[in-house]
Amino acid sequence: MGWEAAPEADREYMTTAVDIRHAVKRYGDVTALHGVSLEIADNAFFTLLGPSGCGKTTLLRLIAGFEDLTEGEIRLFGKDIARLAPNHRPVNTVFQQYALFPHMSVIDNVAFGLKMKGVPPAERRDRAGRMLEMVHLSAFADRLPAQLSGGQQQRVALARALAPAPRVLLLDEPLSALDLKLRQAMRVELKSLQEQTGITFIFVTHDQEEALTMSDRIAVMSAGRVQQVGAAQDIYEAPINRFVADFIGETNLLPVTVGQIAAGRAMAALADGHQISCTAPEGIRPGAHHVSIRPERLHLAPAEGADLAATVERVIYKGNDLQLVARSASGEELNVRLPNSARTDIPAPGARVGLTIEEGAARLLVD
Amino acid sequence: MDLRRYPGFLAVTIACLVILYAPLIVVTIYSFNGSTSITTWGGFSWRWYADVFTGPEAPRFKAAAWNSLTIALIAATTATAIATAAALAMVRGGRFRGKQATFALINLPLMVPEIVIAVATLIFFATIGLTTGYLTIVIAHITFCIPFAYLPIAARMQGIEAHYEQAARDLYATRWQAFRLILLPLMVPGIISGYLLAFIISLDDFIITNFVKGAGMETLPTAIFGSVKQGIKPNIMAISTIMLALSALIVTLSYFINRSGQKARA
Amino acid sequence: MAGPVAGKGSAAGADYRGIVGPLLLPTWVVIGIFLVIPVGLMATYSFLTKEFRGGVIWDFTLAAYDQFFLNRGLFGDEPPSIEWTYLGIFWRSIWQAGVATLICLIVGFPTAWFIATRPERTRPIWLFLITIPYWVNLLIRTVSLKFLIRENGPLNEALMGIGLIDTPLPLVNTNLAVQLGLFYSYLPFMVLPIYAAVERYNFALTEAAHDLYASRWVTLREIVIPAVKPGIVAGCILVFVPSLGAFLAPDLLGGAKTFMIGSLIDEQFKGSQGNWPFGAAAAMILMTLVMLVLILYARAAARSEAR
């Protein structure tokens, strides 16, 4: 079918593995995707991140071929696949509930895709065996899925999807059914598997920590639209709108009035009259906006000359750090992260404190 | 304190079981009665079983039993095949026009009283001029067996989540391969349950068969009914006990098949 | 979890979406030709003229319904009054089926409750015990019951043996025998839906009720029964409907005084005494009655689901 891996020479420059152009999906009156466009590079670990109902799973299922596009185009290595049945697409899926065939042994599960592709039995057994080795489950080859633990089933699902050597691997919240410890271990394992195999991984999750730790690039989705695409650091440090700033990590969102904007910088007035210097995204206009400041970018300072003035309401002990909840003169709640260190001076509730903002940490947001 | 326990409920349950089983147990015991009178106990004996197979009424019962079994076999097999195809469309066919109506149609034989089905079927065969006999019984049985085969099959299919087939399709299986290698094996317990239910329902039927059988044709229930009209004789009790044992065997079989099916799914 | 899809009938459904027609064709053909058309023919027959040796003459008339509902005297020349013979048989059938349903409910509810509150491991065994008799041929069960309760049968002998009664109870050929027969025929139909409802019942509600000072029986009445009502109603329908048109229990266990609809219809198609149009009309009236009950039930169920 011409889906074999591209020759070495072609891999030099970035190839686009999946190219989604203005994808719209409607179920009756409900629109799940409002014209999503995305380019996913080959050999990348790409994550679709968003709250439940944002359309990320729908997008994944469109790529797999379990759903039909209402409008738009999906190209796989340049080929339009929108009309292809799932069994004709060189992509494999790791399902959220694993979907291991309950009546087949582990090795038969892993070999299933190879069998369907017409790989001879001996080679099939061999390749499936190597896949099981890769996920450290060789000893369980002849068991039934029901006889494995959740973590083991998850690794079988992974081996099964990787066995036919797909060009793109789709992972639908594969870690959500595991407990915390196992989940953390699997993150590392998934990332290293992706690097080892060089296969493009498209990973769906609602867990921002999962997304930030594993991905080369992340697409943050909400309400059937892509809000922002970028590397983990871009998304966290430079969110372009309120949704992204609020969804990824914790932040202080403060209403401000923006005056002049020049060269990506702007002066903004807080409700209590304090003026702060902010980075401004392109296309923003003077007027009422919100500014985002991460709690770890705020620091306690003497009241004189500080960027902000606030009254401490309470201090919450969180183990590795402390969360200070304060209120500005105009009534805004401010969260400040303090390191849990003997050197930290912890103010008492009721104390009036000054806060400084790190250079470049205040970002104006598009609504 | 167990808040779920209500005084007397255990007693009612036991009474319920006693009422359900007492007649069957009594008949089983009396089928081994050595006496010709059904009222007095004449010691343990197999004579009525021998009578069933070699006695004066034996040829009649043998022919009736043969008819019953072959009819049940044909009806259950056909109904199961029809019901499996219907379940595929109803459970895995998405939304389509006339789905509600089709659902009502499948369940129609359960909603229309048996005696009404019997009357309607008889009138139909009389009108089209089909002589009542073996064939008319088979046709009638296939018709009313469809919902009984359908219910366990559809229930089982609903219990099999769509993602197994999706995974197979994702792993390069064609539609037919996904059905044959994944869905069908997972459905086997449901299909067997449906088949056995249809088989027993066919074997059990008296009213409809009695209407459409025509003269000279007998199934086991109609033959037994004819006999007990003249009073309950010991050989009837022997036949009853044999049929009882057969039913118990089939039910036990289907129970364990279902349980093993559930275990594999867990 | 994300996305509005994932699950039943959605995407894998696409696999069979294109071939729904061929898959359903056998069902449509078989049930359509051998049940829907026959019922239509039956409706037609009820408006035809009877032929004396059984069968019909294709002359349209309301005679069958007239005979059912109206009394025009022995020679047909009196002013019509309501004919009570057949309405009485229908009324008796409804009454018998109703009493049988009530007995089933009184026995079935505690049984279903008891089973549903057993440990999960033993529940299937209890259910199994309740359902086995249902799998035994109905005719054989009815004959067995008759054998047990007949005048000098084992039940009367046992009761006399322990000195509870002096003379045998005349059970056979009574209303009670028919009710007992119907109860015995359809009890599992009552137990199973109630069991399913109780099994789904959230026992935290019972705990909450007790916590708020309700007694055991008050909890049962105020909390449990409303919660499992759909199961109770379903059970009652499943017992009442087949009881109404039952043939074997009234025929074998009852006598002339307990004549029910089933036997009335049956008689019209037997031998030269038969009257096919009248039998078809009686069957039509029975079917209408049953459909009425089912429609009312479906409506009520839809309404409670909407809530």
Side-chain angles (χ1 to χ4, degrees):
Chain A
M1 295 218 27
W3 291 114
E4 281 61 45
E8 275 315 304
D10 288 0
R11 290 210 192 164
E12 298 280 309
Y13 31 86
M14 284 265 265
T15 332
T16 303
V18 181
D19 188 1
I20 298 157
R21 292 180 196 168
H22 197 76
V24 176
K25 176 65 187 176
R26 275 190 284 269
Y27 299 97
D29 302 336
V30 185
T31 305
L33 291 177
H34 300 266
V36 167
S37 295
L38 268 182
E39 268 188 46
I40 299 171
D42 196 12
N43 302 336
F45 196 119
F46 192 96
T47 298
L48 297 171
L49 172 66
S52 66
C54 72
K56 56 191 193 296
T57 296
T58 304
L59 190 56
L60 196 78
R61 293 168 63 84
L62 283 166
I63 302 171
F66 301 140
E67 307 279 346
D68 293 327
L69 264 178
T70 311
E71 284 167 31
E73 233 175 67
I74 296 181
R75 292 181 169 276
L76 202 69
F77 296 96
K79 245 187 180 174
D80 188 356
I81 57 166
R83 302 273 163 271
L84 281 184
N87 53 326
H88 295 306
R89 302 186 184 201
V91 298
N92 291 143
T93 307
V94 177
F95 290 81
Q96 188 175 14
Q97 308 298 334
Y98 316 143
L100 297 178
F101 306 132
H103 58 300
M104 293 182 188
S105 68
V106 165
I107 189 88
D108 286 346
N109 262 283
V110 176
F112 187 85
L114 299 170
K115 185 176 169 188
M116 292 301 108
K117 287 185 97 178
V119 175
E123 190 192 335
R124 197 149 89 201
R125 180 114 197 141
D126 193 48
R127 277 173 67 180
R130 261 184 286 138
M131 279 295 150
L132 279 183
E133 230 165 80
M134 195 173 73
V135 296
H136 319 296
L137 283 174
S138 302
F140 298 89
D142 296 319
R143 300 242 188 130
L144 286 176
Q147 297 166 311
L148 301 184
S149 72
Q152 289 166 337
Q153 291 187 19
Q154 145 86 128
R155 301 217 299 277
V156 175
L158 202 58
R160 183 178 73 176
L162 284 171
R167 302 289 306 267
V168 175
L169 187 74
L170 308 175
L171 303 105
D172 184 9
E173 306 224 15
L175 306 183
S176 62
L178 304 178
D179 62 46
L180 182 66
K181 269 264 160 59
L182 212 49
R183 204 151 65 213
Q184 284 168 344
M186 279 306 293
R187 282 180 199 164
V188 179
E189 202 165 328
L190 271 180
K191 179 71 187 160
S192 80
L193 262 176
Q194 193 271 322
E195 282 161 3
Q196 259 178 62
T197 56
I199 293 172
T200 306
F201 277 32
I202 303 178
F203 186 91
V204 160
T205 185
H206 63 268
D207 182 332
Q208 41 138 334
E209 195 185 323
E210 223 166 78
L212 294 176
T213 50
M214 291 193 289
S215 322
D216 296 324
R217 281 175 83 74
I218 299 169
V220 183
M221 293 184 68
S222 152
R225 291 189 170 87
V226 172
Q227 304 291 336
Q228 186 172 3
V229 185
Q233 207 177 344
D234 302 335
I235 302 266
Y236 186 82
E237 304 285 346
I240 63 155
N241 61 25
R242 273 178 77 179
F243 176 81
V244 177
D246 208 26
F247 187 72
I248 312 285
E250 288 167 46
T251 198
N252 294 296
L253 283 176
L254 305 174
V256 290
T257 314
V258 179
Q260 267 195 325
I261 303 169
R265 307 287 309 168
M267 285 308 286
L270 287 170
D272 62 0
H274 274 88
Q275 290 278 332
I276 52 176
S277 160
C278 315
T279 23
E282 251 174 79
I284 204 158
R285 299 180 166 281
H289 289 287
H290 279 84
V291 68
S292 157
I293 310 164
R294 299 285 183 196
E296 66 273 20
R297 298 299 177 89
L298 280 171
H299 300 281
L300 284 174
E304 256 103 294
D307 295 322
L308 300 162
T311 309
V312 175
E313 288 197 334
R314 46 184 194 280
V315 178
I316 301 163
Y317 180 78
K318 291 174 112 179
N320 55 358
D321 53 21
L322 301 166
Q323 184 189 351
L324 186 128
V325 184
R327 200 163 289 279
S328 73
S330 55
E332 255 69 63
E333 194 182 87
L334 290 163
N335 282 287
V336 182
R337 185 164 306 151
L338 303 174
N340 185 6
S341 148
R343 277 181 272 169
T344 312
D345 249 344
I346 300 160
R352 288 193 54 80
V353 294
L355 296 168
T356 55
I357 304 165
E358 267 180 44
E359 183 58 32
R363 287 194 59 87
L364 279 177
L365 301 171
V366 179
D367 273 326
Chain B
M1 183 170 97
D2 186 353
L3 297 176
R4 302 165 176 210
R5 191 160 294 163
Y6 281 84
F9 279 21
L10 170 65
V12 174
T13 308
I14 300 291
C16 184
L17 287 174
V18 168
I19 297 170
L20 285 175
Y21 283 91
L24 302 177
I25 292 168
V26 165
V27 162
T28 305
I29 293 170
Y30 274 83
S31 73
F32 293 104
N33 187 358
S35 153
T36 36
S37 151
I38 56 164
T39 38
T40 50
W41 180 252
F44 181 89
S45 148
W46 289 98
R47 65 180 283 195
W48 299 114
Y49 289 87
D51 184 79
V52 167
F53 290 101
T54 58
E57 285 190 293
R60 194 171 139 248
F61 282 127
K62 268 187 203 159
W66 177 251
N67 287 338
S68 269
L69 280 176
T70 53
I71 289 167
L73 221 61
I74 297 168
T77 309
T78 316
T80 304
I82 294 173
T84 305
L88 270 178
M90 297 297 284
V91 180
R92 293 285 203 259
R95 256 185 268 169
F96 55 88
R97 251 188 44 207
K99 189 168 185 171
Q100 286 293 326
T102 307
F103 186 76
L105 192 75
I106 293 172
N107 286 295
L108 198 60
L110 295 179
M111 294 190 293
V112 179
E114 261 193 291
I115 186 100
V116 176
I117 299 182
V119 167
T121 314
L122 172 66
I123 288 176
F124 175 72
F125 289 135
T127 310
I128 63 167
L130 191 60
T131 318
T132 47
Y134 194 88
L135 180 65
T136 54
I137 301 177
V138 168
I139 292 173
H141 280 218
I142 289 173
T143 309
F144 70 71
C145 279
I146 288 175
F148 289 98
Y150 175 83
L151 292 176
I153 293 173
R156 173 81 192 176
M157 207 182 283
Q158 262 153 4
I160 300 168
E161 293 200 44
H163 62 219
Y164 293 122
E165 289 150 271
Q166 285 171 8
R169 297 280 276 148
D170 187 55
L171 293 164
Y172 315 106
T174 60
R175 178 162 72 190
W176 170 243
Q177 282 171 322
F179 172 72
R180 194 168 49 87
L181 298 173
I182 307 299
L183 187 59
L184 193 61
L186 291 175
M187 285 202 15
V188 163
I191 293 177
I192 293 177
S193 294
Y195 186 90
L196 291 178
L197 189 55
F199 187 84
I200 284 207
I201 292 295
S202 164
L203 216 54
D204 191 64
D205 180 69
F206 167 76
I207 301 175
I208 298 170
T209 311
N210 196 37
F211 265 74
V212 301
K213 72 185 174 62
M217 179 74 198
E218 298 281 4
T219 64
L220 217 38
T222 63
I224 293 172
F225 186 80
S227 285
V228 292
K229 273 286 166 188
Q230 288 120 44
I232 305 170
K233 281 174 287 180
N235 61 345
I236 294 296
M237 288 190 268
I239 292 181
S240 297
T241 307
I242 295 169
M243 285 186 77
L244 211 144
L246 191 72
S247 303
L249 187 77
I250 293 176
V251 187
T252 314
L253 213 66
S254 87
Y255 174 75
F256 282 108
I257 288 167
N258 243 326
R259 259 206 355 189
S260 71
Q262 271 158 13
K263 234 182 258 161
R265 207 171 3 148
Chain C
M1 297 305 265
V5 280
K8 285 161 204 166
S10 59
D15 272 5
Y16 299 97
R17 210 162 279 173
I19 52 169
V20 160
L23 285 173
L24 287 175
L25 190 67
T27 310
W28 289 331
V29 167
V30 171
I31 299 183
I33 294 182
F34 300 115
L35 186 57
V36 177
I37 293 179
V39 168
L41 263 177
M42 181 182 79
T44 315
Y45 263 54
S46 72
F47 294 104
L48 296 181
T49 309
K50 85 166 182 179
E51 226 255 11
F52 281 94
R53 285 160 288 117
V56 287
I57 301 165
W58 283 80
D59 275 335
F60 284 91
T61 165
L62 282 171
Y65 293 96
D66 192 284
Q67 181 187 350
F68 190 95
F69 289 109
L70 299 176
N71 179 1
R72 293 175 191 272
L74 199 53
F75 302 104
D77 51 1
E78 289 168 35
S81 58
I82 293 175
E83 166 70 67
W84 287 109
T85 315
Y86 307 115
L87 284 175
I89 291 172
F90 265 65
W91 171 245
R92 186 192 296 138
S93 299
I94 293 171
W95 169 255
Q96 295 284 66
V99 171
T101 306
L102 194 68
I103 304 175
C104 279
L105 181 60
I106 291 169
V107 176
F109 181 83
T111 306
W113 179 274
F114 177 80
I115 295 174
T117 54
R118 290 306 87 201
E120 215 164 313
R121 209 169 31 80
T122 51
R123 255 181 252 165
I125 299 166
W126 285 97
L127 274 184
F128 188 52
L129 283 175
I130 292 286
T131 44
I132 288 183
Y134 169 69
W135 292 82
V136 176
N137 195 301
L138 179 60
L139 172 61
I140 287 177
R141 277 190 290 154
T142 312
V143 169
S144 301
L145 186 64
K146 185 175 187 175
F147 179 77
L148 180 68
I149 64 171
R150 72 191 198 284
E151 189 137 6
N152 38 14
L155 180 68
N156 274 319
E157 274 180 18
L159 288 178
M160 288 198 292
I162 56 172
L164 220 59
I165 49 173
D166 296 326
T167 48
L169 294 169
L171 281 170
V172 173
N173 296 345
T174 63
N175 281 333
L176 182 66
V178 175
Q179 288 153 7
L180 196 63
L182 293 173
F183 157 77
Y184 182 50
S185 302
Y186 304 118
L187 178 64
F189 290 169
M190 181 66 83
V191 175
L192 294 179
I194 298 181
Y195 164 82
V198 174
E199 205 191 22
R200 276 196 306 268
Y201 172 70
N202 176 5
F203 279 98
L205 296 181
T206 293
E207 285 169 8
H210 280 262
D211 187 53
L212 297 167
Y213 318 109
S215 72
R216 240 174 237 277
W217 296 100
V218 170
T219 305
L220 188 69
R221 197 182 65 223
E222 299 289 328
I223 310 296
V224 174
I225 290 183
V228 301
K229 202 171 123 200
I232 293 176
V233 175
C236 288
I237 299 272
L238 285 176
V239 173
F240 183 79
V241 166
S243 295
L244 200 56
F247 173 75
L248 284 175
D251 195 76
L252 288 171
L253 298 167
K257 268 194 260 167
T258 59
F259 207 66
M260 279 173 64
I261 307 173
S263 307
L264 173 69
I265 296 173
D266 183 67
E267 258 189 3
Q268 310 308 319
F269 294 90
K270 290 279 147 358
S272 54
Q273 293 302 303
N275 180 343
W276 284 33
F278 183 72
M284 281 303 291
I285 294 165
L286 170 63
M287 192 174 74
T288 310
L289 209 62
V290 166
M291 289 297 154
L292 218 62
V293 172
L294 290 180
I295 288 168
L296 285 179
Y297 167 67
R299 274 231 186 129
R303 224 180 304 128
S304 75
E305 211 164 275
R307 248 189 283 135

